[in-house]
Amino acid sequence: MKSGIPLKSVRTAVNKALARMPVVDIHTHLFDPAMGNLLLWGIDELITYHYLVAEVFRARPDMEYKSFFNLSKPRQADLVWDELFVRRSPVSEACRGVLTVLQALGLNSNAKSLAGLRRYFSGQTAQGYVDKVFKLAGVSRVYMTNDPLDPAERKVWERGFERDPRFRGVLRLDGVLMAWPQGCERLQAMGYGVDSSLSGQTMAEIRRFLREWCRRLEAGYMAVSLPPSFRYPDVTSSLTSLLIKAVLPVAKELDLPVAMMIGVKKLVNPVLGLAGDSVGKADIENLERLANDFRGNRFLVTCLARENMHELCVAARKFKNITPFGCWWFLNTPSLIREITAMRLELLGLSFIPQHSDARVLDQLIYKWNHSRAVIGGVLADKYEDLVRTGRRVTEADITRDLKLLFDGGRLR
Ligand code: RAT
Ligand code: ZN
């Protein structure tokens, strides 16, 4: 029998195993490179990430929103670089991320301008760069966020393309579910016989839309981001009706999980666009009632409010059809990942998905996973050290087996 790792070597062993472990990234906004311009990558996209756009207005409160958004993307990037990376130390998580990417690529993060960095990226091809980034990030597969209601994206799917098996489809439902009947017209234009009433016929047609598009995307799951006010049951809410009469039946029929990302307050500052959403505390009792009534469905759940994360763990202890996943958006910072991961390990053992990247720009896979691996590795090492202190033997094979449970995307199957 293999001997256990001595206490003093546990941390190194965990970090080594985690560095080698290819991860499945279950939620990104990346696209298959065959989908052309939809896949964002390179320095200008990286620097104009909406997390950084929010921060540039912190540094320059005197700047009019309009005067920034009227600039071309490269000029916006120049301004963000100057304000957040040249004139002050880039200590925020989103800023540090850029430094980690540049370091991994062997590029200079002390440059006063972006010119040299742009030269590097203009020498890359999308395909070659995808290979490089996946390797540097230690990622084996990513799940996209696909919205057939978006005309530009729908065109690409309808035309058809050769799929890169590393990019899996996900049917994102916000456009259909949120603010009904806004999605109605678009569904009609796609040939679905729906009207704003949510009649039996409309529900049947929405189910047909879901079936057809899950098949076309070869979707790994369906997903929706929900406001903190989400309620179940609620006969007055079109969102809840659509969820329980269309989404959950089709998900069950196709044996697909449904991802619910709960707690986003959309556009509290509309002029900021993507950067204008905020966070609100949800009531997790609604999720418990849903999981109880729909036991044949599998729910992947993340919350945006730190205050909801503990209740979510407890809900998952009660309902085996709930899998908590990721440290989402404003929770994707080292101090909060540390806290949330420790709590999940303590309450749920290995039965959760520790992280997703939410990358919108390919290059971000590098930093999001590098930073998360470091923090999650530290927390896991604490836990294995605790085991060794009790006399429990821990081997490298044990660690590798456990990491697979956490990171290989098995809970999506
Ligand atoms: O993290 C983000 O980039 C957010 O803007 C959202 O995309 C969020 O993750 C979502 O999927 O709704
Ligand atoms: Zn996202």
Side-chain angles (χ1 to χ4, degrees):
M1 195 180 293
K2 266 200 135 188
S3 62
I5 303 168
L7 183 61
K8 64 176 175 15
S9 309
V10 165
R11 198 157 292 272
T12 312
V14 172
N15 287 332
K16 262 199 196 150
L18 193 48
R20 277 196 303 263
M21 174 68 48
V23 302
V24 171
D25 190 339
I26 77 150
H27 172 58
T28 75
H29 298 263
L30 303 176
F31 290 93
D32 187 315
M35 299 178 83
N37 291 342
L38 291 175
L39 173 65
L40 305 180
W41 58 280
I43 193 69
D44 289 316
E45 298 296 348
L46 201 52
I47 303 295
T48 53
Y49 185 30
H50 71 83
Y51 292 23
L52 291 172
V53 169
E55 290 175 26
V56 82
F57 289 104
R58 306 291 315 148
R60 283 284 309 277
D62 61 302
M63 184 167 60
E64 289 296 335
Y65 292 116
K66 259 212 310 242
S67 63
F68 178 80
F69 288 111
N70 283 341
L71 297 173
S72 66
K73 186 161 285 185
R75 294 297 77 78
Q76 289 181 0
D78 289 338
L79 196 146
V80 173
W81 182 256
D82 186 52
E83 289 295 343
L84 298 182
F85 294 83
V86 178
R87 289 174 186 271
R88 36 181 76 66
S89 296
V91 294
S92 77
E93 175 62 8
C95 284
R96 180 172 75 108
V98 174
L99 307 183
T100 301
V101 172
L102 297 178
Q103 182 181 43
L105 294 170
L107 300 174
N108 177 16
S109 64
N110 299 298
K112 292 270 179 281
S113 93
L114 293 173
L117 301 173
R118 288 192 178 115
R119 268 196 300 281
Y120 169 82
F121 285 98
S122 65
Q124 309 294 317
T125 62
Q127 191 56 60
Y129 195 55
V130 167
D131 296 343
K132 181 180 280 199
V133 168
F134 270 55
K135 193 155 183 261
L136 288 171
V139 168
S140 58
R141 192 161 83 225
V142 303
Y143 284 79
M144 304 183 273
T145 296
N146 302 116
D147 179 8
L149 264 53
D150 173 46
E153 186 176 347
R154 187 171 65 247
K155 218 166 51 199
V156 179
W157 288 109
E158 284 173 346
R159 194 174 59 221
F161 56 94
E162 198 178 322
R163 298 282 297 264
D164 181 329
R166 292 171 297 182
F167 290 77
R168 295 291 171 90
V170 170
L171 181 57
R172 181 72 175 238
L173 303 171
D174 296 31
V176 177
L177 264 51
M178 305 302 293
W180 184 265
Q182 268 172 33
C184 187
E185 242 171 68
R186 292 203 170 173
L187 288 172
Q188 284 166 351
M190 290 168 74
Y192 294 98
V194 294
D195 60 39
S196 58
S197 70
L198 291 181
S199 62
Q201 148 84 13
T202 292
M203 285 296 181
E205 281 294 274
I206 293 174
R207 288 194 292 272
R208 183 165 74 86
F209 161 79
L210 298 173
R211 266 184 222 111
E212 288 178 354
W213 277 90
C214 279
R215 294 221 172 91
R216 193 190 283 254
L217 303 173
E218 296 173 35
Y221 64 92
M222 290 187 267
V224 61
S225 74
L226 296 166
S229 58
F230 170 70
R231 295 284 174 272
Y232 171 82
D234 182 355
V235 285
T236 65
S237 156
S238 52
L239 163 65
T240 306
S241 301
L242 286 160
L243 198 61
I244 65 176
K245 292 189 184 150
V247 178
L248 295 182
V250 173
K252 188 171 169 193
E253 181 187 314
L254 303 182
D255 192 23
L256 293 178
V258 173
M260 298 172 50
M261 307 168 72
I262 310 173
V264 58
K265 285 202 293 195
K266 286 281 180 198
L267 293 179
V268 296
N269 185 355
V271 288
L272 276 178
L274 274 182
D277 297 347
S278 188
V279 57
K281 288 191 278 291
D283 182 348
I284 298 300
E285 284 181 29
N286 295 285
L287 172 67
E288 289 183 338
R289 287 192 286 266
L290 194 68
N292 187 46
D293 288 355
F294 291 85
R295 289 173 180 247
N297 282 101
R298 291 180 287 142
F299 298 93
L300 304 167
V301 185
T302 197
C303 294
L304 199 48
R306 177 191 190 185
E307 294 84 343
N308 282 139
M309 279 305 200
H310 179 250
E311 287 169 88
L312 174 60
C313 278
V314 177
R317 288 178 67 86
K318 307 300 137 190
F319 294 98
K320 64 186 170 67
N321 53 344
I322 296 178
T323 296
F325 77 93
C327 301
W328 182 25
W329 202 343
F330 313 116
L331 297 179
N332 193 353
T333 63
S335 58
L336 295 171
I337 300 170
R338 191 172 301 115
E339 168 185 303
I340 292 165
T341 306
M343 177 175 64
R344 286 171 170 172
L345 287 167
E346 286 155 15
L347 285 170
L348 299 171
L350 299 167
S351 67
F352 65 98
I353 299 171
Q355 188 57 309
H356 64 268
S357 73
D358 232 316
R360 282 180 179 268
V361 181
L362 176 66
D363 326 44
Q364 291 166 344
L365 288 177
I366 300 173
Y367 92 77
K368 301 245 188 188
W369 281 107
N370 171 310
H371 294 188
S372 288
R373 268 194 174 89
V375 177
I376 295 169
V379 179
L380 279 166
D382 292 343
K383 299 301 167 202
Y384 286 114
E385 283 178 356
D386 288 346
L387 298 189
V388 172
R389 280 192 202 96
T390 69
R392 167 79 187 210
R393 194 179 54 239
V394 173
T395 66
E396 283 179 15
D398 292 334
I399 295 173
T400 304
R401 175 202 58 208
D402 297 347
L403 291 181
K404 275 202 186 119
L405 289 172
L406 292 169
F407 290 104
D408 80 351
R411 296 190 79 84
L412 263 62
R413 287 190 284 271

